[in-house]
Amino acid sequence: MIQVDVRRKMGDFTLQAAFNSPPGGITALFGRSGAGKTALINLLAGLDRPDEGRIVVDGVVLFDSDAGIDLPPEQRRLGYVFQEGRLFPHMSVRRNLAYGMKGKDGAADFDRIVALLDIGALLDRTPRALSGGEKQRVAIGRALLASPRLVLMDEPLAALDMGLKAEILPYIERLRDELAIPIVYVSHAMEEIVRLADTLVIMSDGKVAAVGPVDELMSRLDLRPLTGRYEAGAVLTVTVEGHDLNRAVTSLSFAGMTMLVPHADIPVGEELRIRVRARDVSLALTAPTDISILNIFPGRVMEISDRKDGQMDVIVDVGAKIWARVTRLAVTRLALVPGMEIHALVKAVAIDRQSFGRRIKPR
Amino acid sequence: MDWLTPLEIEALGLSLRVAVVGVLCSLPFGLAAAWLLARRDFPGKSLVDGIIHLPLVVPPVVVGYLLLVALGRRGPIGGWLYDSFGVTIAFTWKGAAIAAAVMAFPLMVRAMRLSLESVDRRLEAAARTLGAGRARVFATITLPLMAPGILAGVVLAFARALGEFGATITFVSNIPGETRTLPIALYALTQTPDGEAAAARLAVISVMLALAAIIASEWIARRMARRLEGGT
């Protein structure tokens, strides 16, 4: 549980951020560069000091200007994974990892974390001899071994190329799922957030614009200008219902509906998040027959909004919110207005591997 | 050491003792001064900076004279030391060490300050998030990362201390076996009839000593660099 309410003036820029995030899981801080994400987690870590406010993590007051509390960073027990790793160049990987360890009972943790991050072969090397991805894994391990209450990650993948990002992401998922350690994850890459995060904090211009579950915020049209660069679409939380191996499809259920997607090797019963891109969704006034599209969801138009480029975003409530991107011509032809009944059509193959996000272990 | 005369052995030993003691004793102060100048802002900082650098620009004789005034047996500090502890500084090898340390101090501080300024403070911040307090961060991160600069400062100061002449002869004079270091012995010989041959020998010894110090420091610096940059 993180409760933040801080104010910090830095020259012309004022950071004024307040949010609460539920315990556990990954809380993503999202915003464009300059939105104040890094400034905010530096305040959390104690590397910078708010002008006023209060920071509480797991019931421990880290900062409270009214009560005169300001714990130094070394007493906050917040692990920090920096964008550039910041490994100590004069120490081996092993000594880097052990730097924040306390006491003898760290040894078991050491082996477990080294195994979890696959860095056993690197222990005797120096940071200079590591690749970018290896450095970040060691940096994550070092932060974890200081037994933090919370891990802060400041765009840990930003300095890596696409291939390396894909290499690190599974490790961060493992931390979340196997160690159950709460993480605050700063990113401006929405695809990472959809894959990792539970709670989303959208920042803009030093302020918190919205806080909530990822799928909920992703389907809000008013946040479109802020979530912008990411290809628009709805994020749905679904449960794997079954597999039809002969016909190579997997069925997913959400909000009483069933969606068919190309076969995916995920156990039945598992919950996961999928992304349905707005431009992959078509609209029809009546349910079409004799059509190859497998997913036809009846629903109601909730909202229509004009985009700058003349295309229209239509949000359809089919039990969950689905987002369709169509031309103005299409909206005119179908005479779409909020409240009317409609069918949202989604090609099964539009849901590909990149569309699968955060997996949630069945409870 | 048959190939050195007793006079040479005495002067060499005294020079080494004066330089080593002078440099080692001023090392903690040098570090503190470098840290103050590199990391702190306080009123009068440029004045402190100026005072530390003074021995570089003032004639050494002036420094020696000021030391004599302050640390002589009738001086404010020297008198107090003598009355309270019976310690005499002026005209002893301790005084020579102090003169050498004062003259070498600015060189030592400059090198250390430069290396401290180049230490990546983000690494120190990272260490603090890992639970290390300020003292541990300084000992385990800052100090090792500035080690090459400390070495450079020590070597420069040592070389300067070995060659110290003006302040030394003014403060502690030329006393055989007590304050007659290599440069002073060399100077005294050039003032003596028939002293040229002995003076030449001392000059050669001085050059060899300086060379040995440079080679040793290069060797240590290479090892340090290898360790810092992460070779074997």
Side-chain angles (χ1 to χ4, degrees):
Chain A
M1 175 85 178
I2 308 161
Q3 296 157 275
V4 177
D5 182 0
V6 288
R7 220 177 76 83
R8 171 90 168 95
K9 200 166 154 37
M10 288 168 272
D12 293 341
F13 181 78
T14 303
L15 178 71
Q16 179 141 33
F19 70 90
N20 290 347
S21 87
I26 295 186
T27 301
L29 286 185
F30 173 84
R32 308 205 174 150
S33 45
K37 298 168 299 207
T38 302
L40 180 57
I41 62 166
N42 280 341
L43 293 179
L44 284 177
L47 298 179
D48 188 20
R49 185 187 189 157
D51 297 328
E52 57 186 349
R54 198 173 139 83
I55 300 168
V56 183
V57 172
D58 279 347
V60 180
V61 181
L62 304 181
F63 181 87
D64 188 333
S65 53
D66 291 337
I69 297 172
D70 181 15
L71 289 188
E74 62 268 26
Q75 284 170 27
R76 295 196 176 195
R77 288 188 42 219
L78 303 187
Y80 199 146
V81 179
F82 300 90
Q83 191 172 340
E84 351 68 83
R86 299 198 195 179
L87 299 181
F88 305 133
H90 57 301
M91 297 183 189
S92 66
V93 167
R94 186 191 304 277
R95 285 185 57 212
N96 264 284
L97 287 169
Y99 191 85
M101 273 167 52
K102 285 167 211 78
K104 289 242 159 62
D105 40 325
D109 281 343
F110 187 87
D111 295 340
R112 190 164 61 111
I113 300 240
V114 164
L116 185 82
L117 294 166
D118 279 337
I119 46 181
L122 313 176
L123 290 178
D124 294 319
R125 292 207 213 153
T126 53
R128 178 168 279 232
L130 302 180
S131 72
E134 288 167 341
K135 275 185 191 146
Q136 271 322 24
R137 267 146 65 198
V138 173
I140 292 170
R142 183 178 71 173
L144 289 173
L145 282 166
S147 32
R149 337 181 136 88
L150 169 73
V151 175
L152 308 169
M153 296 191 177
D154 184 11
E155 311 213 17
L157 307 183
L160 307 177
D161 60 38
M162 286 307 284
L164 281 176
K165 278 183 192 167
E167 179 194 316
I168 305 281
L169 274 170
Y171 291 105
I172 299 177
E173 287 177 314
R174 278 162 90 174
L175 305 187
R176 180 193 64 204
D177 299 336
E178 292 177 30
L179 302 182
I181 189 151
I183 297 173
V184 171
Y185 189 95
V186 170
S187 182
H188 63 256
M190 198 49 102
E191 56 274 17
E192 289 168 24
I193 289 174
V194 168
R195 176 147 169 200
L196 295 170
D198 303 284
T199 305
L200 178 57
V201 177
I202 299 179
M203 294 193 64
S204 168
D205 210 12
K207 292 180 182 54
V208 172
V211 187
V214 174
D215 25 4
E216 201 180 296
L217 294 197
M218 288 305 292
S219 58
R220 271 175 53 183
L221 277 181
D222 60 316
L223 296 175
R224 254 315 261 150
L226 299 176
T227 52
R229 295 207 319 226
Y230 178 66
E231 193 172 358
V235 175
L236 304 174
T237 303
V238 300
T239 309
V240 178
E241 216 173 44
H243 301 287
D244 183 344
L245 290 178
N246 289 331
R247 297 184 215 170
V249 291
T250 291
S251 53
L252 310 170
S253 71
F254 69 98
M257 304 272 180
T258 295
M259 179 180 323
L260 296 172
V261 299
H263 176 253
D265 193 13
I266 300 169
V268 172
E270 191 145 331
E271 249 180 57
L272 77 158
R273 196 178 281 153
I274 60 164
R275 183 158 69 95
V276 183
R277 282 180 292 256
R279 62 182 173 130
D280 290 332
V281 178
S282 314
L283 299 174
L285 294 178
T286 54
T289 51
D290 307 329
I291 188 168
S292 72
I293 291 179
L294 294 177
N295 300 301
I296 298 170
F297 305 119
R300 197 174 285 278
V301 174
M302 292 183 67
E303 232 181 310
I304 303 172
S305 87
D306 250 315
R307 287 161 43 83
K308 285 198 195 97
D309 58 9
Q311 298 179 11
M312 313 281 263
D313 284 325
V314 181
I315 288 192
V316 180
D317 184 2
V318 301
K321 289 176 193 166
I322 284 190
W323 189 332
R325 161 94 38 92
V326 293
T327 56
R328 187 173 296 153
L329 175 62
V331 171
T332 318
R333 272 204 187 150
L334 299 182
L336 292 180
V337 285
M340 73 188 283
E341 288 186 0
I342 195 90
H343 291 80
L345 281 48
V346 184
K347 271 173 78 74
V349 294
I351 312 298
D352 56 13
R353 201 148 287 279
Q354 274 83 51
S355 312
F356 289 111
R358 164 93 160 91
R359 281 208 212 177
I360 303 148
K361 286 268 151 64
R363 270 160 263 257
Chain B
M1 293 217 276
D2 297 344
W3 43 281
L4 289 177
T5 67
L7 178 138
E8 286 163 357
I9 292 173
E10 180 193 285
L12 181 61
L14 196 55
S15 273
L16 284 173
R17 187 187 341 158
V18 162
V20 167
V21 169
V23 168
L24 286 186
C25 291
S26 58
L27 189 57
F29 300 100
L31 261 179
W35 187 80
L36 270 181
L37 293 178
R39 289 287 174 85
R40 289 279 140 184
D41 268 319
F42 51 91
K45 181 172 170 177
S46 36
L47 185 66
V48 172
D49 199 9
I51 290 172
I52 287 173
H53 281 87
L54 219 46
L56 271 187
V57 287
V58 159
V61 179
V62 173
V63 174
Y65 171 75
L66 291 175
L67 285 173
L68 190 59
V69 167
L71 291 172
R73 205 177 278 181
R74 293 206 201 87
I77 304 175
W80 174 76
L81 280 175
Y82 182 69
D83 295 339
S84 321
F85 307 102
V87 176
T88 309
I89 302 285
F91 307 109
T92 68
W93 73 269
K94 295 184 211 96
I98 290 175
V102 168
M103 293 306 296
F105 199 65
L107 293 171
M108 181 189 273
V109 172
R110 281 179 83 83
M112 289 180 182
R113 177 186 180 172
L114 277 176
S115 74
L116 185 54
E117 279 168 353
S118 72
V119 168
D120 188 348
R121 302 200 66 174
R122 296 174 309 168
L123 293 177
E124 298 175 328
R128 294 198 66 192
T129 67
L130 292 167
R134 287 176 191 280
R136 184 169 172 230
V137 170
F138 185 75
T140 58
I141 308 293
T142 317
L143 216 47
L145 289 177
M146 65 181 293
I150 295 177
L151 176 76
V154 164
V155 169
L156 274 172
F158 185 72
R160 181 69 186 79
L162 274 182
E164 201 341 87
F165 176 77
T168 309
I169 201 160
T170 313
F171 182 32
V172 296
S173 186
N174 171 11
I175 303 168
E178 186 65 41
T179 66
R180 192 163 67 189
T181 57
L182 275 178
I184 292 177
L186 180 55
Y187 174 75
L189 282 170
T190 59
Q191 304 298 304
T192 322
D194 307 325
E196 286 87 357
R201 282 175 58 92
L202 277 183
V204 171
I205 292 170
S206 296
V207 168
M208 285 187 351
L209 189 61
L211 261 181
I214 289 171
I215 290 169
S217 81
E218 283 293 311
W219 182 74
I220 300 175
R222 261 204 307 278
R223 287 193 44 150
M224 266 183 192
R226 212 179 306 148
R227 206 165 57 89
L228 276 185
E229 283 157 19
T232 38

